[in-house]
Amino acid sequence: KCSIQQYRRGHQGVRDMEDVKEIKRVLIANRGEIARRIIKTCRKMDIVTIAVYADSDEESPFVSEADVAFNLEGETSLETYLNKKKILEACKKTEADSVHPGYGFLSENQEFAHLITSNGLNWIGPSPMIIQAMGDKLSAKDIMEKAGVPILPSIEIKPETNIDAAAKTIGYPVLVKASAGGGGKGMRVVESPDTLAAAIESAQREAKNAFGDEKVFLEKWLESVRHVEVQIVGDKHGNIVHCFERECSIQRRHQKIIEESPCPIMTRELRQAMGSAAVEAARAVKYVGAGTVEFLLDGNGDFFFLEMNTRLQVEHPVTELVTGFDLVQWQIRVAQGEPLPATQEAVSLNGHAIEVRLCAEDATAGFLPSSGSISLFEFPQGDGLRVDTGFETGDFVSPFYDSLLGKIIAWGETREVARLRLYSALRGAVLFGVAHNREFLIRLLTDPLFVNGAVTTDYIDRHFSAGFTSDTATNTEIAAAIALQQIISAKHYLNMGASISAELLGWVSTGATSVRYRFEIDGDE
């Protein structure tokens, strides 16, 4: 490794040399799975990691795996991971020189990014100005339209706006959409004029509570489309590349459930057009860092700009598996002023990767979140499998945070190989202590529509409108009862046949023994 001074002398093309700061101590303003992911890359780069944590996360793996841990003293996200002043104080007390926000929480908060940079720290992400420009969806659409990126017709709702005329101009169905934030909040699909006013009022109220901004707009709602996003990365030298696309069409209430790369129906011409549009979108704001340009793709092969996420995505592992790149490492190298590690010509696509989000939620009870202690958490291991999780056996799932337990990702030479590997991994997964959506994910992976790559964004609404019912719920109870009966019987006959004291029963000179029982029902072990 060269020193930062040598690097400055060797790369005079950086736009602002004051932005070139060697990263040695990274504070991770996040928790769980993504914190562990960042720690893993930093360790490879010989960078000291600093974890901040809430009281309930004190025993979490990411806290013990970091080099330094700082207690934010609080329980809820507002008291801890969303508290800008506390995190800045942690940076100063731990002598951090950089902050990685991960995803969620403050990752797309321009005020927080400005607070970090104005205090002389390195922000591992795009500038506050870029975050602000892309965070407001109306502003982003305007920028994209000027850059020549296809957009959907939309109209901002103001006090003087004739909403009936606006909706008629766009054409029903329309989407009422919050200008700030994301994650499906402040969004309502309106099929007819009868429900328009109520939908706007409801969306405004939800947007204000969630983002502190009640501004909403009307946008043309496309039915039976695909959600396809393109991973882009830009550096401080003006270089921007895309790392191909991800299909994220299986969603519930605008929350992604399964993601894959590449898109099953992608053609060479469409990939080139969509990739070029994503790069132009990033170039329009002089983007620096990792980001995602999201599109809606209709059945005619036409695509339209949806939004731009100015952070690392939850689903970034599928891109890493098909490109071989470490996107967190790219983020760090770009943040300290290095040029991109690869040109567009050097970015190649290898095989197929699929990711599912395993969540602590009861899929059979309206996907209600679940919390509690995890009594057992195990996943199969093997070629082409990757598990990113923030939990281990014995950990506690807090009710204060997102229900994501982990991401199971499978890679294969073909999409079918990846799908079968993922299916097998889920079938062999063991999770006790909290309700979870494993059976729901298995159902999705085996649905003929998914197998044939034919799902669209309305798939869940159309096929699970009445909710999800599991065929294996009673089987699980039966299996547990049978297992318990066999274990009790085995111990009973052992005690009956052994003429030794209970204290010595099961003991050998090399130490206490243990017995492992395996049970199988309907092919599930």
Short mmCIF file of all heavy atoms in Angstrom, two decimals, residues 488-521:
data_model
loop_
_atom_site.label_atom_id
_atom_site.label_comp_id
_atom_site.label_asym_id
_atom_site.label_seq_id
_atom_site.Cartn_x
_atom_site.Cartn_y
_atom_site.Cartn_z
N ILE A 488 -37.54 -39.60 24.86
CA ILE A 488 -37.97 -40.05 26.19
C ILE A 488 -37.91 -41.58 26.27
O ILE A 488 -37.43 -42.16 27.26
CB ILE A 488 -39.39 -39.56 26.49
CG1 ILE A 488 -39.38 -38.03 26.69
CG2 ILE A 488 -39.96 -40.24 27.74
CD1 ILE A 488 -40.76 -37.43 26.82
N SER A 489 -38.36 -42.25 25.20
CA SER A 489 -38.33 -43.71 25.18
C SER A 489 -36.91 -44.24 25.25
O SER A 489 -36.61 -45.19 25.98
CB SER A 489 -39.03 -44.23 23.93
OG SER A 489 -40.39 -43.85 23.91
N ALA A 490 -36.03 -43.62 24.49
CA ALA A 490 -34.64 -44.06 24.46
C ALA A 490 -34.01 -43.93 25.84
O ALA A 490 -33.30 -44.83 26.32
CB ALA A 490 -33.86 -43.25 23.43
N LYS A 491 -34.26 -42.81 26.50
CA LYS A 491 -33.68 -42.59 27.84
C LYS A 491 -34.30 -43.55 28.86
O LYS A 491 -33.61 -44.03 29.77
CB LYS A 491 -33.89 -41.14 28.26
CG LYS A 491 -33.01 -40.15 27.50
CD LYS A 491 -33.11 -38.75 28.07
CE LYS A 491 -32.13 -37.81 27.36
NZ LYS A 491 -32.17 -36.44 27.91
N HIS A 492 -35.59 -43.83 28.69
CA HIS A 492 -36.27 -44.74 29.62
C HIS A 492 -35.65 -46.14 29.55
O HIS A 492 -35.33 -46.74 30.59
CB HIS A 492 -37.76 -44.80 29.26
CG HIS A 492 -38.51 -45.86 30.02
ND1 HIS A 492 -38.81 -45.74 31.36
CD2 HIS A 492 -39.03 -47.05 29.60
CE1 HIS A 492 -39.46 -46.82 31.75
NE2 HIS A 492 -39.63 -47.63 30.69
N TYR A 493 -35.47 -46.66 28.35
CA TYR A 493 -34.93 -48.01 28.21
C TYR A 493 -33.46 -48.07 28.59
O TYR A 493 -32.98 -49.09 29.09
CB TYR A 493 -35.14 -48.51 26.78
CG TYR A 493 -36.58 -48.87 26.50
CD1 TYR A 493 -37.34 -48.14 25.59
CD2 TYR A 493 -37.20 -49.93 27.18
CE1 TYR A 493 -38.68 -48.45 25.36
CE2 TYR A 493 -38.53 -50.25 26.94
CZ TYR A 493 -39.27 -49.50 26.03
OH TYR A 493 -40.58 -49.81 25.82
N LEU A 494 -32.73 -46.96 28.40
CA LEU A 494 -31.32 -46.91 28.83
C LEU A 494 -31.25 -47.01 30.36
O LEU A 494 -30.44 -47.75 30.90
CB LEU A 494 -30.67 -45.61 28.34
CG LEU A 494 -29.21 -45.40 28.77
CD1 LEU A 494 -28.32 -46.50 28.18
CD2 LEU A 494 -28.71 -44.04 28.32
N ASN A 495 -32.12 -46.25 31.02
CA ASN A 495 -32.13 -46.27 32.48
C ASN A 495 -32.55 -47.65 33.01
O ASN A 495 -32.04 -48.14 34.03
CB ASN A 495 -33.08 -45.20 33.03
CG ASN A 495 -32.55 -43.81 32.76
OD1 ASN A 495 -31.35 -43.61 32.59
ND2 ASN A 495 -33.45 -42.83 32.71
N MET A 496 -33.50 -48.28 32.32
CA MET A 496 -33.98 -49.59 32.74
C MET A 496 -32.89 -50.66 32.61
O MET A 496 -32.77 -51.56 33.43
CB MET A 496 -35.19 -50.01 31.89
CG MET A 496 -36.45 -49.20 32.17
SD MET A 496 -37.29 -49.69 33.68
CE MET A 496 -37.89 -51.32 33.21
N GLY A 497 -32.07 -50.54 31.56
CA GLY A 497 -31.09 -51.59 31.29
C GLY A 497 -29.74 -51.36 31.93
O GLY A 497 -28.90 -52.26 31.95
N ALA A 498 -29.50 -50.19 32.48
CA ALA A 498 -28.19 -49.90 33.06
C ALA A 498 -28.23 -50.08 34.57
O ALA A 498 -29.12 -49.58 35.24
CB ALA A 498 -27.78 -48.46 32.71
N SER A 499 -27.25 -50.83 35.09
CA SER A 499 -27.19 -51.07 36.54
C SER A 499 -26.12 -50.18 37.17
O SER A 499 -25.27 -50.65 37.92
CB SER A 499 -26.90 -52.55 36.82
OG SER A 499 -25.68 -52.92 36.18
N ILE A 500 -26.10 -48.91 36.78
CA ILE A 500 -25.16 -47.97 37.37
C ILE A 500 -25.93 -46.75 37.86
O ILE A 500 -27.08 -46.53 37.50
CB ILE A 500 -24.07 -47.53 36.35
CG1 ILE A 500 -24.73 -46.90 35.12
CG2 ILE A 500 -23.19 -48.70 35.94
CD1 ILE A 500 -23.73 -46.36 34.12
N SER A 501 -25.28 -45.92 38.66
CA SER A 501 -25.95 -44.76 39.25
C SER A 501 -26.23 -43.72 38.18
O SER A 501 -25.54 -43.64 37.16
CB SER A 501 -25.07 -44.15 40.35
OG SER A 501 -23.89 -43.60 39.78
N ALA A 502 -27.23 -42.92 38.45
CA ALA A 502 -27.61 -41.87 37.51
C ALA A 502 -26.46 -40.88 37.29
O ALA A 502 -26.31 -40.30 36.22
CB ALA A 502 -28.85 -41.14 38.02
N GLU A 503 -25.62 -40.69 38.34
CA GLU A 503 -24.51 -39.73 38.25
C GLU A 503 -23.49 -40.15 37.20
O GLU A 503 -22.90 -39.33 36.52
CB GLU A 503 -23.85 -39.59 39.62
CG GLU A 503 -22.77 -38.52 39.65
CD GLU A 503 -22.13 -38.40 41.02
OE1 GLU A 503 -22.33 -39.30 41.87
OE2 GLU A 503 -21.42 -37.41 41.24
N LEU A 504 -23.29 -41.48 37.06
CA LEU A 504 -22.29 -41.99 36.12
C LEU A 504 -22.89 -42.38 34.77
O LEU A 504 -22.15 -42.67 33.83
CB LEU A 504 -21.58 -43.21 36.73
CG LEU A 504 -20.73 -42.93 37.96
CD1 LEU A 504 -20.14 -44.23 38.51
CD2 LEU A 504 -19.60 -41.95 37.63
N LEU A 505 -24.20 -42.38 34.68
CA LEU A 505 -24.86 -42.80 33.45
C LEU A 505 -24.51 -41.83 32.30
O LEU A 505 -24.66 -40.62 32.42
CB LEU A 505 -26.37 -42.81 33.64
CG LEU A 505 -27.19 -43.46 32.52
CD1 LEU A 505 -26.85 -44.93 32.40
CD2 LEU A 505 -28.67 -43.28 32.79
N GLY A 506 -24.01 -42.38 31.22
CA GLY A 506 -23.66 -41.55 30.07
C GLY A 506 -22.29 -40.92 30.15
O GLY A 506 -21.92 -40.11 29.31
N TRP A 507 -21.50 -41.29 31.16
CA TRP A 507 -20.17 -40.70 31.33
C TRP A 507 -19.09 -41.66 30.88
O TRP A 507 -19.20 -42.87 31.08
CB TRP A 507 -19.96 -40.34 32.81
CG TRP A 507 -18.64 -39.64 33.10
CD1 TRP A 507 -18.41 -38.31 33.09
CD2 TRP A 507 -17.40 -40.27 33.44
NE1 TRP A 507 -17.10 -38.05 33.41
CE2 TRP A 507 -16.45 -39.24 33.62
CE3 TRP A 507 -17.00 -41.60 33.60
CZ2 TRP A 507 -15.12 -39.48 33.96
CZ3 TRP A 507 -15.68 -41.86 33.94
CH2 TRP A 507 -14.74 -40.81 34.12
N VAL A 508 -18.05 -41.11 30.21
CA VAL A 508 -16.89 -41.92 29.85
C VAL A 508 -15.65 -41.17 30.29
O VAL A 508 -15.69 -39.97 30.61
CB VAL A 508 -16.83 -42.20 28.33
CG1 VAL A 508 -17.98 -43.07 27.90
CG2 VAL A 508 -16.79 -40.91 27.55
N SER A 509 -14.50 -41.83 30.27
CA SER A 509 -13.27 -41.25 30.81
C SER A 509 -12.78 -40.04 30.02
O SER A 509 -12.02 -39.22 30.53
CB SER A 509 -12.16 -42.31 30.85
OG SER A 509 -11.92 -42.80 29.54
N THR A 510 -13.23 -39.93 28.79
CA THR A 510 -12.79 -38.78 27.98
C THR A 510 -13.67 -37.55 28.17
O THR A 510 -13.45 -36.51 27.55
CB THR A 510 -12.77 -39.16 26.49
OG1 THR A 510 -14.07 -39.65 26.13
CG2 THR A 510 -11.72 -40.22 26.20
N GLY A 511 -14.70 -37.67 29.01
CA GLY A 511 -15.57 -36.53 29.25
C GLY A 511 -17.02 -36.88 29.01
O GLY A 511 -17.36 -37.98 28.58
N ALA A 512 -17.89 -35.91 29.28
CA ALA A 512 -19.33 -36.15 29.12
C ALA A 512 -19.67 -36.40 27.66
O ALA A 512 -19.10 -35.79 26.76
CB ALA A 512 -20.11 -34.95 29.65
N THR A 513 -20.59 -37.30 27.42
CA THR A 513 -20.99 -37.63 26.05
C THR A 513 -22.26 -36.88 25.67
O THR A 513 -23.01 -36.43 26.53
CB THR A 513 -21.24 -39.13 25.89
OG1 THR A 513 -22.29 -39.50 26.78
CG2 THR A 513 -20.00 -39.93 26.19
N SER A 514 -22.47 -36.75 24.40
CA SER A 514 -23.72 -36.16 23.91
C SER A 514 -24.24 -37.02 22.78
O SER A 514 -23.46 -37.69 22.09
CB SER A 514 -23.49 -34.73 23.41
OG SER A 514 -22.60 -34.72 22.32
N VAL A 515 -25.53 -37.02 22.61
CA VAL A 515 -26.17 -37.81 21.56
C VAL A 515 -26.94 -36.87 20.65
O VAL A 515 -27.66 -35.99 21.13
CB VAL A 515 -27.13 -38.87 22.16
CG1 VAL A 515 -27.79 -39.67 21.04
CG2 VAL A 515 -26.39 -39.79 23.11
N ARG A 516 -26.78 -37.03 19.36
CA ARG A 516 -27.47 -36.19 18.39
C ARG A 516 -28.54 -37.02 17.69
O ARG A 516 -28.23 -38.08 17.13
CB ARG A 516 -26.48 -35.63 17.37
CG ARG A 516 -27.09 -34.57 16.45
CD ARG A 516 -26.02 -34.03 15.51
NE ARG A 516 -26.52 -32.92 14.73
CZ ARG A 516 -26.42 -31.65 15.07
NH1 ARG A 516 -25.81 -31.33 16.21
NH2 ARG A 516 -26.88 -30.68 14.30
N TYR A 517 -29.77 -36.57 17.70
CA TYR A 517 -30.86 -37.27 17.03
C TYR A 517 -31.24 -36.50 15.77
O TYR A 517 -31.30 -35.28 15.77
CB TYR A 517 -32.09 -37.34 17.95
CG TYR A 517 -31.87 -38.15 19.21
CD1 TYR A 517 -31.39 -37.55 20.37
CD2 TYR A 517 -32.18 -39.52 19.23
CE1 TYR A 517 -31.20 -38.28 21.52
CE2 TYR A 517 -31.99 -40.26 20.39
CZ TYR A 517 -31.50 -39.64 21.52
OH TYR A 517 -31.32 -40.37 22.68
N ARG A 518 -31.51 -37.22 14.72
CA ARG A 518 -31.97 -36.60 13.48
C ARG A 518 -33.33 -37.20 13.11
O ARG A 518 -33.51 -38.41 13.15
CB ARG A 518 -30.99 -36.82 12.33
CG ARG A 518 -29.69 -36.05 12.49
CD ARG A 518 -28.81 -36.20 11.25
NE ARG A 518 -27.57 -35.44 11.39
CZ ARG A 518 -27.44 -34.16 11.07
NH1 ARG A 518 -28.47 -33.50 10.58
NH2 ARG A 518 -26.29 -33.55 11.22
N PHE A 519 -34.27 -36.35 12.74
CA PHE A 519 -35.61 -36.79 12.37
C PHE A 519 -35.96 -36.24 11.01
O PHE A 519 -35.55 -35.14 10.65
CB PHE A 519 -36.63 -36.32 13.41
CG PHE A 519 -36.34 -36.82 14.80
CD1 PHE A 519 -35.57 -36.07 15.66
CD2 PHE A 519 -36.83 -38.04 15.23
CE1 PHE A 519 -35.29 -36.52 16.95
CE2 PHE A 519 -36.57 -38.51 16.50
CZ PHE A 519 -35.79 -37.75 17.37
N GLU A 520 -36.73 -37.00 10.27
CA GLU A 520 -37.14 -36.56 8.94
C GLU A 520 -38.64 -36.79 8.78
O GLU A 520 -39.16 -37.84 9.14
CB GLU A 520 -36.37 -37.31 7.86
CG GLU A 520 -36.70 -36.82 6.46
CD GLU A 520 -35.85 -37.51 5.39
OE1 GLU A 520 -34.61 -37.46 5.47
OE2 GLU A 520 -36.45 -38.11 4.49
N ILE A 521 -39.32 -35.77 8.25
CA ILE A 521 -40.74 -35.91 7.97
C ILE A 521 -41.05 -35.20 6.66
O ILE A 521 -40.64 -34.05 6.45
CB ILE A 521 -41.61 -35.36 9.13
CG1 ILE A 521 -43.10 -35.58 8.84
CG2 ILE A 521 -41.33 -33.90 9.39
CD1 ILE A 521 -43.99 -35.38 10.04
#
